[in-house]
């Protein structure tokens, strides 16, 4: 997905907490962390360890998460 398309989709997404996505996908927190923490670290230019302690996700991070796991964003409750 192009950066422009990611940013356009991010405009439609509400910021959310990690817990909401964990529940939506019925993942274990550990499994979810393997997906989301590298996305957060890369997006915010912080270390992976710092990303572990953040709980609120930015819209662009949510879009990138959906892209990474191959799920359509339009079916999410967060849109």
């Amino acid at each position: 997905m192009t950066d422009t398309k990611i940013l356009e989709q991010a405009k439609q997404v509400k910021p959310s907490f990690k817990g909401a996505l964990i529940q939506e996908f019925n993942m274990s927190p550990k499994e979810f962390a393997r997906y989301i923490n590298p996305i957060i670290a890369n997006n915010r230019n912080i270390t992976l360890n710092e990303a572990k302690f953040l709980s609120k996700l930015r819209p662009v991070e949510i879009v990138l998460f959906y892209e990474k796991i191959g799920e359509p964003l339009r079916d999410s409750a967060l849109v």
Side-chain angles (χ1 to χ4, degrees), residues 18-27:
K18 287 181 178 178
L21 282 175
I22 290 171
Q23 287 180 340
E24 183 174 337
F25 288 100
N26 198 24
M27 292 180 165

Side-chain angles (χ1 to χ4, degrees), residues 29-69:
K30 191 173 186 174
E31 180 184 14
F32 179 74
R34 282 195 311 252
Y35 284 108
I36 200 67
N37 288 337
I39 293 171
I40 295 169
N42 187 35
N43 187 54
R44 299 183 191 197
N45 200 25
I46 60 176
T47 67
L48 206 56
N49 194 45
E50 291 171 316
K52 292 178 186 178
F53 297 103
L54 298 174
S55 60
K56 192 162 187 177
L57 301 174
R58 295 176 179 167
V60 70
E61 295 161 349
I62 296 168
V63 171
L64 291 170
F65 172 76
Y66 273 85
E67 180 182 290
K68 186 166 192 146
I69 62 169

